[in-house]
Amino acid sequence: MRRAACPGSFDPVTNGHIDIIARAATLFDEVVVAVGVNQAKKRLFTPEERIGMLTESCAGFSNVRIDSFDGLLTDFCRQQDVVAIVKGLRAVSDFDYELQMAQMNSSLADIETVFVPTSPEYSFLASSLVKEVAMFGGDVSSLVPDHVLRALTDRLAARRSDV
Ligand code: PNS
């Protein structure tokens, strides 16, 4: 059994993430989507909400499961018997930081990082931009699953009514 991890914040999951997870699922026997729950970082969605959205988004993939981790990704990978970390690369600008993380992770544990090129239609896609565009009323319906769009719309409306 060769198990890979697809780590990220997923705040929220986008169609670009799902594309990478789906492709990782064809390369490995099992994929664990690992939601980083760094408590120090302010997120729009709670870890439970992010996990719920991922669970719904990945329901169609029989060899994908969702988990979360707090701390080092390499510790999570060791505990879960993960042999590879799968990361999407959108553009050359992603490469410097991703390479640095891959090399740090490989120095911490016996683990490979596999880079998967993002499909061209998602090359500009990032959760942070989706949130910003949605916050200013832009149309992000082609960038996230319908259930994520609803959660995003509701959360941003609740935020607006708070101020
Ligand atoms: O979606 P993101 O924010 O790019 O995800 C980043 C994440 C969670 C994959 C990364 O920050 C991470 O691995 N955090 C865990 C802490 C850790 O292991 N840090 C050392 C990385 S070399």
Side-chain angles (χ1 to χ4, degrees):
M1 154 79 79
R2 295 184 70 73
R3 183 177 291 128
C6 279
S9 310
F10 305 103
D11 186 45
V13 59
T14 68
N15 291 341
H17 292 129
I18 296 166
D19 174 53
I20 298 296
I21 294 165
R23 287 159 62 201
T26 67
L27 298 173
F28 292 90
D29 299 318
E30 186 179 75
V31 171
V32 189
V33 179
V35 181
V37 297
N38 186 344
Q39 306 292 353
K41 285 199 183 168
K42 193 103 189 70
R43 304 287 185 194
L44 185 61
F45 294 101
T46 65
E48 294 73 23
E49 289 169 331
R50 287 181 271 146
I51 290 167
M53 285 185 270
L54 276 160
T55 303
E56 195 166 343
S57 304
C58 296
F61 308 124
S62 58
N63 63 336
V64 174
R65 64 182 171 83
I66 320 298
D67 208 331
S68 62
F69 71 102
D70 195 358
L72 284 178
L73 177 59
T74 46
D75 288 341
F76 174 84
C77 290
R78 264 201 218 96
Q79 286 152 16
Q80 300 272 331
D81 209 13
V82 160
V83 297
I85 297 166
V86 176
K87 289 299 218 48
L89 278 187
R90 287 167 296 198
V92 175
S93 49
D94 279 345
F95 185 70
D96 276 353
Y97 185 52
E98 291 296 343
L99 178 67
Q100 191 180 17
M101 281 204 285
Q103 289 171 333
M104 175 61 88
N105 284 331
S106 120
S107 81
L108 293 171
D110 184 18
I111 188 139
E112 289 291 350
T113 296
V114 175
F115 293 124
V116 174
T118 298
S119 297
E121 66 264 40
Y122 303 127
S123 62
F124 60 92
L125 192 45
S127 298
S128 54
L129 280 183
V130 166
K131 286 183 282 191
E132 185 173 324
V133 171
M135 195 164 63
F136 290 111
D139 181 5
V140 294
S141 58
S142 62
L143 308 178
V144 295
D146 287 348
H147 63 94
V148 174
L149 182 65
R150 285 194 294 277
L152 196 52
T153 308
D154 290 353
R155 179 57 43 88
L156 292 172
R159 286 273 165 102
R160 267 185 226 108
S161 66
D162 274 355
V163 289

